[in-house]
């Protein structure tokens, strides 16, 4: 059974934290739809809280079992008179034992076979059922082990990018260093950041890491004619985040296909939205599209065949 609740707070993030704390649920177990972004106002005048609609699933309540019917009272039967037994109760003769045939030895339990269908079902169908295939799930992404590229092979732009990142880490008070990995290509530079504590570098859901990547990309492509792609990662965060988003996408798609009701995910950056679209590209029964403007652009998962919101139609030509 699916339930919805409205939560409000000064910001959307605080409203989500409030909802998860009151519902005692993880973020992947709920679907969040932003109802109202909220306004700060001017000097506190005209301010309004942000509102979100949280959708979550609760187990159905078990139906009460019907009460057993009370047995009908029968008239007492008069027992026939029994002859008086003069034998003392303590020395009464033991009851006679009947000669029973020795029980047959227990049959050994056969080892389970591949076909676990009950025998009655197999007999009724008249054919051997095929094993049911498990739901196909994508294999977990392998952990990427990166190794540094020899510094003499670093492009000049990559050297400037690494120097810029090391300076940022020093300003942030984070112990660590950056290097160009051996997975880099001519048009795609990959940089890894290593250190004892990369939590401040990643930030909340990778916001800080994305900001570092954006600023470093500006430094990398400064003064170059062709745009060079840049990817900055640490502790395999990109792979772990992609797996988390794919699980969330499949879970929300299953609810949409089950309840035939569209669901709107929380705002995401273009990279994360592409992961959602790609994960559900071949998912039966649902379609995806993006709505809103940056930085509050979100992915909407809709039932297949449902109507997507469109803008105003142009007037017909007369």
């Amino acid at each position: 059974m699916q339930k919805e609740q409205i939560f409000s707070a000064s910001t959307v993030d605080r409203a989500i934290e409030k909802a998860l704390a009151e519902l005692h649920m993880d973020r992947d177990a709920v679907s969040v739809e932003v109802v109202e972004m909220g306004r700060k106002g001017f000097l506190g005048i005209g301010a309004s809280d942000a509102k979100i609609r949280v959708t979550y699933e609760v187990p159905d309540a078990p139906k009460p079992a019907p009460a057993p019917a009370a047995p009908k009272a029968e008239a007492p039967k008069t027992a026939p008179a029994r002859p008086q037994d003069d034998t003392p109760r303590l020395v009464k003769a033991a009851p006679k034992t009947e000669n029973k045939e020795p029980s047959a030895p227990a049959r050994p339990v056969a080892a389970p076979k591949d076909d676990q269908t009950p025998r009655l079902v197999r007999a009724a169908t008249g054919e051997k059922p095929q094993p049911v295939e498990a739901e196909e799930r994508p294999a977990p992404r392998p952990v990427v082990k990166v190794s540094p590229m020899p510094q003499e092979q670093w492009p000049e732009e990559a050297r400037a990018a690494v120097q810029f990142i090391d300076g940022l880490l020093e300003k942030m008070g984070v112990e660590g260093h950056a290097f160009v990995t051996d997975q880099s290509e001519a048009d795609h530079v990959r940089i890894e950041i290593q250190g004892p504590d990369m939590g401040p570098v990643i930030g909340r859901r990778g916001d800080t890491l994305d900001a570092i990547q954006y600023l470093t990309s500006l430094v990398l492509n400064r003064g170059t004619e062709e745009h060079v792609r840049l990817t900055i990662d640490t502790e395999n965060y990109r792979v772990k985040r992609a797996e988390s988003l794919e699980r969330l996408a499949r879970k929300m798609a299953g609810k949409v296909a089950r309840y035939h009701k569209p669901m709107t995910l929380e705002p995401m950056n273009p990279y994360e939205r592409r992961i959602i679209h790609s994960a559900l590209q071949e998912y039966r029964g649902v379609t995806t599209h993006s709505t809103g403007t940056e930085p509050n652009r979100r992915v909407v998962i809709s039932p297949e065949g449902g109507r997507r919101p469109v803008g105003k139609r142009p007037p017909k030509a007369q």
Side-chain angles (χ1 to χ4, degrees):
M1 182 173 59
Q2 199 174 34
K3 284 190 175 183
E4 295 180 354
Q5 287 192 34
I6 301 294
F7 295 88
S8 60
S10 57
T11 62
V12 173
D13 293 337
R14 292 183 179 178
I16 294 176
E17 294 176 358
K18 178 181 177 181
L20 297 179
E22 292 187 9
L23 298 176
H24 303 286
M25 290 186 173
D26 296 333
R27 179 61 188 86
D28 295 342
V30 300
S31 173
V32 177
E33 180 179 357
V34 180
V35 179
E36 187 175 342
M37 291 299 301
R39 293 175 296 179
K40 295 183 179 179
F42 178 73
L43 298 178
I45 302 175
S48 62
D49 290 343
K51 294 182 180 180
I52 61 172
R53 179 181 291 106
V54 178
T55 306
Y56 57 96
E57 192 171 358
V58 296
D60 297 334
K63 297 181 179 180
K72 296 182 179 179
E74 298 181 356
K77 297 181 179 180
T78 304
R82 298 178 59 185
Q84 186 175 2
D85 187 5
D86 296 335
T87 306
R89 182 170 300 178
L90 296 179
V91 296
K92 186 179 292 185
K96 297 181 179 181
T97 57
E98 298 180 358
N99 295 329
K100 296 183 180 180
E101 297 180 0
S103 57
R107 299 177 59 184
V109 179
K113 299 180 180 180
D114 295 338
D115 183 12
Q116 298 293 340
T117 309
R119 183 174 300 175
L120 294 179
V121 177
R122 293 200 298 267
T125 56
E127 58 183 7
K128 184 177 180 180
Q130 300 295 329
V132 179
E133 296 182 358
E135 180 183 358
E136 295 184 359
R137 296 183 179 180
R141 299 170 184 262
V143 177
V144 180
K145 296 182 179 181
V146 296
S147 56
M149 177 186 292
Q151 293 191 12
E152 58 271 12
Q153 300 179 10
W154 291 6
E156 190 64 28
E157 298 82 3
R159 294 177 183 273
V162 170
Q163 184 179 0
F164 174 77
I165 295 174
D166 290 342
L168 278 180
L169 297 178
E170 183 178 356
K171 295 294 183 181
M172 294 171 60
V174 177
E175 182 182 355
H177 67 282
F179 60 85
V180 181
T181 69
D182 57 356
Q183 298 177 345
S184 300
E185 301 172 357
D187 59 343
H188 191 176
V189 176
R190 299 178 184 270
I191 296 179
E192 181 78 11
I193 303 177
Q194 287 186 351
D197 182 14
M198 292 292 98
V201 174
I202 297 174
R204 183 179 178 275
R205 296 181 183 172
D207 291 344
T208 305
L209 187 63
D210 291 339
I212 294 176
Q213 179 172 299
Y214 173 74
L215 295 176
T216 309
S217 178
L218 298 179
V219 175
L220 179 66
N221 291 281
R222 183 175 53 188
T224 59
E225 298 180 357
E226 297 182 358
H227 181 79
V228 180
R229 292 184 300 162
L230 172 67
T231 299
I232 299 179
D233 197 4
T234 179
E235 297 181 351
N236 278 293
Y237 172 79
R238 302 290 185 190
V239 175
K240 297 175 184 177
R241 178 61 174 166
E243 291 180 350
S244 177
L245 290 174
E246 289 175 355
R247 288 196 302 268
L248 175 64
R250 291 192 298 269
K251 186 174 183 178
M252 294 298 105
K255 292 183 178 180
V256 170
R258 178 179 178 184
Y259 298 107
H260 301 282
K261 180 180 178 181
M263 289 188 176
T264 305
L265 303 182
E266 62 186 16
M268 298 180 183
N269 57 42
Y271 169 75
E272 294 181 342
R273 293 199 302 269
R274 284 194 297 268
I275 294 177
I276 299 293
H277 292 308
S278 177
L280 301 181
Q281 186 174 5
E282 299 181 358
Y283 198 101
R284 294 184 179 180
V286 300
T287 59
T288 61
H289 67 277
S290 298
T291 182
T293 57
E294 299 291 354
N296 297 316
R297 193 163 176 81
R298 304 181 293 270
V299 176
V300 180
I301 306 176
S302 306
E304 193 171 12
R307 298 179 59 183
R308 291 174 49 177
V310 296
K312 295 183 178 179
R313 297 182 179 179
K316 296 182 180 179
Q318 297 181 354

